[in-house]
Amino acid sequence: MQSKKIISFLIIAFFSVVFFQIATSYADSNAPSNEQIENIKTNCSSIKHSLKQVQNSDRNTRVAIGYSYQTILADFMTPLNVRLIKNNLIRPELSEIQNRFTSLREEFNHKYIEYSQELESLINIDCISEPESFYHRLESTRNKRSEVLNLAEQINSTIANHKSVIEKLKNSLGSSQNEI
């Protein structure tokens, strides 16, 4: 079940990145060229359709990621730190990692809401009658999305760091029990 979620997330992420890389050609400079404006007008309905698909897949992905992050915090990090404290095996680095994870998760939630609102605004712009506004909002949406992806990468790095510290702890506890 978890592997299906991960595979779904990767597929959605791939297609989302591809879409926004294609959209980059529309948002490379501050002012759109006449050709870009015409492309936006000509492809407006297909662009809107793609944006709605991205919105739906992002929403589903966000729910899955949010659930995963909550599970990691509530079922792994917090109980481990509590147990270590109860057993007088305090590891400040694990508490610091938990705090960083919590902070990044909150920032991720905040940035995702900003991105989601920006995407909704983009979808609501009439790209035929307002192609320049659409162009600038697309650029802004891409930037917001990039911030969300950057935070997800930081969270994943924090999770990897947590795992590494746990492995070291496990090895040190195993070797100290072997000495007894």
Side-chain angles (χ1 to χ4, degrees):
M1 178 89 171
Q2 187 69 11
S3 64
K4 285 184 181 181
K5 285 182 184 179
I6 292 171
I7 291 170
S8 296
F9 169 72
L10 292 175
I11 290 170
I12 290 167
F14 171 76
F15 283 114
S16 297
V17 168
V18 169
F19 170 75
F20 277 99
Q21 284 178 342
I22 291 169
T24 301
S25 66
Y26 294 117
D28 278 342
S29 65
N30 289 335
S33 68
N34 290 336
E35 182 182 346
Q36 289 171 320
I37 289 174
E38 287 307 312
N39 283 338
I40 290 171
K41 287 180 180 179
T42 303
N43 299 311
C44 182
S45 63
S46 64
I47 292 170
K48 292 267 190 158
H49 179 73
S50 295
L51 287 171
K52 287 177 184 175
Q53 287 180 324
V54 167
Q55 185 181 43
N56 288 334
S57 66
D58 280 356
R59 187 179 304 124
N60 294 336
T61 302
R62 168 64 185 95
V63 169
I65 289 174
Y67 177 77
S68 296
Y69 290 165
Q70 180 58 33
T71 300
I72 289 168
L73 182 62
D75 294 349
F76 299 109
M77 287 185 176
T78 302
L80 175 64
N81 285 340
V82 169
R83 186 169 180 185
L84 289 172
I85 290 169
K86 285 181 179 180
N87 290 313
N88 292 322
L89 296 169
I90 298 170
R91 295 293 192 261
E93 63 270 26
L94 287 175
S95 294
E96 290 169 12
I97 291 170
Q98 180 179 342
N99 291 337
R100 176 165 168 72
F101 180 85
T102 302
S103 172
L104 286 170
R105 192 178 125 240
E106 289 170 6
E107 188 176 355
F108 174 85
N109 291 339
H110 176 73
K111 291 293 184 183
Y112 181 84
I113 290 168
E114 287 180 359
Y115 158 71
S116 180
Q117 291 169 341
E118 193 77 12
L119 180 58
E120 185 66 31
S121 295
L122 174 64
I123 290 170
N124 290 327
I125 294 175
D126 181 357
C127 47
I128 293 174
S129 64
E130 300 179 66
E132 287 190 37
S133 293
F134 185 85
Y135 173 90
H136 293 295
R137 185 57 58 117
L138 175 62
E139 188 174 75
S140 177
T141 303
R142 287 178 55 245
N143 290 336
K144 298 274 185 203
R145 190 167 205 279
S146 178
E147 291 174 1
V148 171
L149 292 174
N150 183 27
L151 283 166
E153 289 171 357
Q154 289 180 47
I155 290 171
N156 291 338
S157 175
T158 302
I159 293 168
N161 187 23
H162 189 263
K163 180 181 177 187
S164 174
V165 171
I166 289 172
E167 287 295 324
K168 289 177 186 173
L169 174 64
K170 178 182 166 186
N171 291 337
S172 72
L173 291 175
S175 63
S176 67
Q177 286 186 356
N178 289 337
E179 294 172 3
I180 296 177

